[in-house]
Amino acid sequence: MKTGPTPSPLAPADAKIGPKPPLRRFHQARWDEPLLFELGSPGERGVLPPLAQAPADVVLPDGLRRAAPPALPELSQPQVLRHYLRLSQENLGADFNVDVGQGTCTMKYSPKVNDRFVRDPKVAGLHPLQDERTVQGVLEIMYRLEGLLREISGMDRFTLQPGAGSAAIYTNVAMIRAYFAARGEAETRDEVITTIFSHPSNAACAKTAGFKVITLYPDADGYPDIEALRQAVGPRTAALLITNPEDTGLFNPRIEEFVRIVHEAGGLCAYDQANANGILGITRARDTGFDLCHFNLHKTFSTPHACGGPAAGACGVSAELAPYLPTPTVEFDGTRYRLDDDRPESIGKIRPFYGVVPNLVRAYAWIMSLGGAGLREAAEVAVLNNNYLMAKVLQIRGASVPYAPGRPRVEQVRYSWERLAEETGVHSEDIGVRAADFGTHYWTSHHPYIVPEPMTLEPTESYSRAELDEYAAILAEVAREAYEDPETVRTAPHRSTVHRARVDVLDDPATWAVTWRAYRRKILGE
Amino acid sequence: MRIGLVVNPVAGLGGRVGLKGSDGADVQEKARALGATPRAPERAATALAELRSRLGIPFAVPTAGGSMGEGAVLRAGLVPDVRYRPGEPTTAADTVRAATALAPHVDLLLFAGGDGTARDVLDAVGASVPVLGVPTGVKMHSAVFGATPRAAGEAAALMAAGGVRIRDAEVMDLDEDAVRDGRVSARLYGHVRVPDVPVRVQQRKVGGTVADPSSVAGIAAGLAERAGPSGLLVLGPGTTMRAVAAALGAGVPLMGVNVVAGDGTVVAADAAAAELEALAGTAPAWIAVTPIGGQGFLFGRGNQQISPAVLRAAGRDRLAVAATEAKLASLGGRPLLVDTGDEELDAGLRGHLPVLTGHGRFAMYPVR
């Protein structure tokens, strides 16, 4: 007769996967799902929208008319729903996993309740060409959202038009260019200073707008080198574009001095607040002396990132730069909201119409639901979560945090697996792929690649302590495997529907196919 | 793909016993007397084992006999295909002869050794076949080694899988006698072809860390703009500067210091210091140099022709330092180094210099 405790039916069958907390026995579903285009059968319908009644006086020129109807797949509504649900089981959807490995993307939880506002016909049914007297409600939301962002940043005016964070940075650069052009200094002020650990978008946007770019490298402690800044500034300096905290997670303690040095040289200072998740309600761009700033509404204010698609950015400026804001601005005379297009010094339009209204509504709802105290608490929890996770990761063999040893980070950390890679031959990317076997996400973009074998984690305020413990346990397990059984890590994934994708195909314009038409042309050879 | 192996069994012999190198029979004898044991065969076997685990199948390895490769191949569980038998004890001449014998039979020649071995391999094979070093020396200055033996095996496996570019890499000549006297004196010895595998960084989404041809083209355009059509560009040695000359339409030797006009005319090829001093005195000249990858020397290593007099004639404002972001990343945060032989000039160069990293793109980088 057997004695001793009865094993719990919930205990993991594989004793190797059993640290606290238990690692999930995740496995992706495999559906052999055809493409939507291959699923259709002629004549099937989901919904039948009413036929459009074209006004009689609108005659499309022949060149704009289709010769034949578009070759769209024809499916019923439930078929479409099942198709996408099956696809969602074949990947690591955002709602499925602890996605703190998104790095600088700040993938915080976007409350589902806020989508109800967006789906409401009062919002969803609006048309951008409606008379402004009929869209007072959404103009009020935009006006109020601008007011909230002004309060959060200390800036005097905002535009909500940019379609994403990089578009907002570009908007700031365009306003800087317009500002100096108005002073007759467009030719002489042609240099923009940034730092290597600021978002690469800063350098890219400045370059795109025609500026020379001077990049500051970190000093021995990992902070932007202030001596290099002093060497770099001069009569050609148009602006400093800087992220703080930088993508290392380090907050530049001398940021006010940076701003002063650039101002004394006659340049403007723009604060890239893509990493604002850890500073909401704690520091303000204007209080530090910045002339411009931007937020990624699609990150910091909990609206969908949208994979480079319909995200939303917001630019804030001092009163001195307000004339250059994109058109239109939203104005309020005490009774009515209106769109102001009569702004002669404006840089013009950055995006059609108002911007990405659904995300403006979501951001407004998120801020209003938290309030001022709630924003600060979100920032504090994000910082606490980040440093809690860092303490855990630093206990893992082979992991390290370059720069400023012992200093806490703000809302993210760029770690290094250099030691693990040298000792085991397992790279950061291998770890990321193996992490997927445990049902979690690990992003592979850590620009610029100065930190060897980088890993950037940004937990945000959205994750519980148990979830952070789970994430750290997954990393610890993969690191243990790297030392004891590197082959398992190198040959991962083992529980996914597709083994390692051939990334050279994805990187080659001759073979990538992002549309059905491109797929038929490049892959099927039609 | 056929991968060959030649091992210099005495490479690194002096390292563990504090002799800073292994050049010369007397140093090797002294090292053995101090208890040194060869590490090169063992480290070569580590690289091969990594290669085998990644390729998944055993294969034959063209190699040299005994401690020059055969033993390491057997230890890694692979099949030696011996193409050269050395005498005992082995000498540098054996490395040259073995590499010469192996080169026609391989698509990649792995060699285990240090800088001295790299120089011997270069003498033997030149640019005829790509090579890759398994680091077993004391302190490698050449940019032809994997970061670790394992990384070298991994790079070879990636090359075998296809799609890896081949690039020129620098072989350095370190004066070991000078090192024993406490001075580091390395000069550029030449270039070999190596598989371009940035093993210390991510394989994918490598962004600025790959040797990006467009950033070299941007550097060339930036330098041409600065010099103007009539200005002179004094181009230091190295692949970046040769690419700059090529972008201007000028073909110049890889080694040595060349002078090119902004319109692409070659004014002087492989010029000596006196010639450069004379040119710099007559026309406005820009001094364009790139730091040695991974090491950071700007002046005083491999480009001594750009003498203090040449630098003074041009002036600090006409100094154009250029490097791709990948090369800066390879320094791992270490500063650029100057050792012109003129203490006052060195002091004037220290601080921060703008480094041209692409068209209209600069990095403010520290110089020590």
Side-chain angles (χ1 to χ4, degrees):
Chain A
M1 186 177 152
K2 276 173 77 178
T3 56
T6 310
S8 158
L10 295 176
D14 182 352
K16 267 170 64 183
I17 307 177
K20 287 180 180 176
L23 302 180
R24 290 173 201 277
R25 298 174 60 73
F26 168 82
H27 202 299
Q28 277 181 337
R30 181 196 288 276
W31 284 101
D32 291 336
E33 188 66 9
L35 294 174
L36 197 56
F37 281 89
E38 298 166 322
L39 274 175
S41 55
E44 284 213 43
R45 287 287 183 278
V47 288
L48 277 174
L51 286 174
Q53 300 294 316
D57 58 343
V58 176
V59 181
L60 283 177
D62 282 344
L64 289 181
R65 289 174 178 274
R66 287 180 181 278
L72 296 175
E74 295 172 73
L75 290 89
S76 73
Q77 203 173 27
Q79 285 173 335
V80 174
L81 177 69
R82 284 192 279 272
H83 170 74
Y84 282 110
L85 286 176
R86 287 192 289 257
L87 286 185
S88 78
Q89 292 180 323
E90 292 197 272
N91 61 48
L92 283 171
D95 288 340
F96 287 148
N97 71 95
V98 183
D99 50 0
V100 306
Q102 277 286 1
T104 62
C105 287
T106 323
M107 298 302 278
K108 60 172 63 180
Y109 174 64
S110 297
K112 299 295 173 241
V113 65
N114 293 343
D115 273 76
R116 292 188 58 182
F117 303 119
V118 176
R119 281 202 296 268
D120 189 298
K122 289 175 187 164
V123 175
L126 292 175
H127 192 281
L129 287 177
Q130 272 177 250
D131 188 296
E132 69 186 26
R133 283 171 300 183
T134 68
V135 289
Q136 287 290 301
V138 79
L139 292 181
E140 181 178 351
I141 287 174
M142 291 173 69
Y143 187 83
R144 284 169 172 252
L145 178 57
E146 181 186 343
L148 295 171
L149 295 175
R150 276 156 52 177
E151 196 172 328
I152 292 167
S153 65
M155 289 294 174
D156 295 318
R157 283 303 306 260
F158 263 84
T159 178
L160 306 173
Q161 209 177 57
S166 294
I169 296 172
Y170 186 83
T171 304
N172 277 342
V173 175
M175 286 192 281
I176 289 165
R177 197 171 51 184
Y179 172 88
F180 286 116
R183 275 158 186 70
E185 296 182 77
E187 299 298 316
T188 50
R189 299 247 174 216
D190 63 351
E191 292 179 355
V192 162
I193 301 169
T194 184
T195 74
I196 193 73
F197 284 124
S198 288
H199 274 132
S201 280
N202 288 286
C205 290
K207 195 73 179 64
T208 307
F211 288 97
K212 287 178 190 157
V213 179
I214 300 172
T215 305
L216 310 182
Y217 275 62
D219 63 17
D221 295 323
Y223 300 110
D225 193 323
I226 199 162
E227 289 310 315
L229 175 72
R230 291 200 177 97
Q231 291 289 315
V233 294
R236 303 209 75 94
T237 303
L240 171 74
L241 307 186
I242 193 166
T243 309
N244 195 30
E246 293 193 298
D247 287 356
T248 51
L250 284 168
F251 189 91
N252 180 355
R254 301 170 86 170
I255 191 66
E256 283 183 298
E257 209 176 337
F258 270 65
V259 170
R260 185 174 53 73
I261 289 169
V262 174
H263 278 167
E264 284 172 4
L268 296 170
C269 294
Y271 194 159
D272 176 338
Q273 298 187 116
N275 297 342
N277 203 45
I279 60 171
L280 294 175
I282 298 168
T283 69
R284 302 205 310 171
R286 190 69 182 137
D287 298 347
T288 319
F290 280 94
D291 308 288
L292 310 93
C293 73
H294 94 273
F295 289 111
N296 294 347
L297 297 181
H298 55 275
K299 306 201 306 191
T300 310
F301 295 100
S302 181
T303 80
H305 195 280
C307 289
C315 299
V317 294
S318 65
E320 203 180 359
L321 283 150
Y324 309 104
L325 283 168
T327 56
T329 55
V330 182
E331 307 293 342
F332 182 54
D333 64 10
T335 48
R336 268 190 47 206
Y337 298 90
R338 67 180 181 86
L339 293 168
D340 183 7
D341 280 297
D342 183 20
R343 302 178 66 82
E345 292 184 273
S346 165
I347 58 167
K349 280 190 175 297
I350 290 295
R351 196 180 171 91
F353 308 112
Y354 307 171
V356 187
V357 168
N359 279 342
L360 303 182
V361 172
R362 288 187 184 97
Y364 179 71
W366 191 77
I367 296 171
M368 290 301 288
S369 68
L370 285 177
L375 289 183
R376 186 181 174 114
E377 190 181 342
E380 286 172 349
V381 174
V383 174
L384 189 64
N385 275 354
N386 184 47
N387 287 282
Y388 176 80
L389 185 64
M390 181 169 77
K392 288 238 155 191
V393 172
L394 281 176
Q395 292 170 25
I396 300 174
R397 185 179 174 192
S400 63
V401 177
Y403 304 119
R407 296 291 301 270
R409 264 48 178 182
V410 183
E411 76 340 321
Q412 67 181 20
V413 181
R414 183 152 299 156
Y415 301 88
S416 173
W417 290 108
E418 183 178 28
R419 191 155 58 84
L420 180 133
E422 281 179 4
E423 291 172 355
T424 68
V426 168
H427 295 287
S428 177
E429 186 168 356
D430 301 321
I431 296 171
V433 176
R434 179 61 175 152
D437 278 338
F438 297 98
T440 198
H441 190 104
Y442 179 106
W443 189 229
T444 53
S445 172
H446 320 271
H447 293 100
Y449 278 79
I450 291 190
V451 171
E453 301 296 338
M455 167 178 76
T456 317
L457 306 179
E458 187 176 27
T460 79
E461 76 284 0
S462 305
Y463 298 98
S464 70
R465 182 171 166 176
E467 286 175 315
L468 296 178
D469 286 344
E470 179 184 348
Y471 198 86
I474 290 168
L475 293 178
E477 170 69 8
V478 177
R480 185 191 65 75
E481 288 177 337
Y483 280 100
E484 294 174 11
D485 179 18
E487 208 51 29
T488 296
V489 185
R490 267 195 232 131
T491 53
H494 305 290
R495 303 174 202 159
S496 295
T497 50
V498 177
H499 200 68
R500 288 207 180 186
R502 278 193 55 199
V503 292
D504 53 330
V505 176
L506 303 176
D507 284 343
D508 183 359
T511 49
W512 69 39
V514 292
T515 64
W516 172 237
R517 190 183 291 180
Y519 178 79
R520 283 174 40 165
R521 178 163 44 85
K522 295 179 182 176
I523 309 298
L524 302 181
E526 291 176 8
Chain B
M1 197 181 99
R2 295 160 307 163
I3 297 167
L5 173 73
V6 56
V7 175
N8 172 9
V10 298
L13 203 57
R16 291 265 168 93
V17 290
L19 294 179
K20 299 179 179 144
S22 321
D23 284 2
D26 51 334
V27 173
Q28 290 163 20
E29 198 176 317
K30 194 171 167 190
R32 285 206 178 83
L34 286 166
T37 51
R39 293 196 307 147
E42 174 197 329
R43 288 167 76 82
T46 302
L48 285 182
E50 180 73 19
L51 175 63
R52 183 192 169 185
S53 95
R54 285 178 183 268
L55 294 185
I57 42 158
F59 48 91
V61 179
T63 187
S67 62
M68 285 197 74
E70 189 179 9
V73 174
L74 288 169
R75 198 186 311 206
L78 295 169
V79 184
D81 170 14
V82 177
R83 299 260 172 184
Y84 173 77
R85 290 259 171 221
E88 281 291 336
T90 62
T91 64
D94 284 312
T95 305
V96 173
R97 284 195 284 264
T100 307
L102 292 171
H105 304 286
V106 299
D107 302 298
L108 172 69
L109 181 60
L110 292 175
F111 69 93
D115 281 324
T117 318
R119 293 195 296 273
D120 294 337
V121 169
L122 168 59
D123 289 343
V125 307
S128 68
V129 62
V131 306
L132 184 63
V134 178
T136 67
V138 178
K139 176 77 182 163
M140 273 70 63
H141 290 260
S142 306
V144 300
F145 293 95
T148 60
R150 194 191 288 275
E154 180 186 352
L158 287 169
M159 185 175 162
V164 172
R165 282 187 296 197
I166 303 294
R167 64 175 171 86
D168 287 336
E170 297 143 336
V171 174
M172 302 302 293
D173 188 1
L174 186 73
D175 180 346
E176 288 189 1
D177 288 334
V179 172
R180 288 190 192 95
D181 289 346
R183 293 176 287 120
V184 175
S185 174
R187 68 180 182 87
L188 191 58
Y189 186 77
H191 288 78
V192 290
R193 294 162 68 223
V194 299
D196 186 10
V197 181
V199 285
R200 283 169 62 83
V201 296
Q202 206 87 343
Q203 303 299 316
R204 181 159 151 70
K205 291 185 191 279
V206 281
T209 55
V210 288
D212 176 7
S214 67
S215 60
V216 175
I219 287 170
L223 287 174
E225 272 173 28
R226 280 209 212 169
S230 59
L232 294 183
L233 276 169
V234 175
L235 301 176
T239 50
T240 307
M241 288 301 140
R242 188 171 64 166
V244 167
L248 296 174
V252 297
L254 185 59
M255 302 293 297
V257 176
N258 305 289
V259 185
V260 177
D263 64 1
T265 314
V266 180
V267 178
D270 202 2
E275 195 177 351
L276 292 173
E277 282 163 27
L279 280 170
T282 55
W286 285 83
I287 313 291
V289 289
T290 189
I292 294 173
Q295 191 192 50
F297 266 108
L298 212 50
F299 292 112
R301 302 287 183 273
N303 58 9
Q304 281 90 342
Q305 303 95 311
I306 304 174
S307 65
V310 176
L311 286 167
R312 284 186 197 285
R316 186 186 158 116
D317 289 346
R318 286 180 175 274
L319 177 59
V321 178
T324 59
E325 287 186 348
K327 188 174 259 189
L328 291 181
S330 78
L331 297 176
R334 294 187 303 278
L336 300 177
L337 304 168
V338 288
D339 179 19
T340 64
D342 179 329
E343 203 32 60
E344 192 189 331
L345 188 63
D346 288 352
L349 291 171
R350 292 193 182 111
H352 288 84
L353 278 177
V355 176
L356 188 63
T357 56
H359 188 246
R361 299 199 61 162
F362 300 87
M364 290 304 290
Y365 205 86
V367 180
R368 298 280 178 271

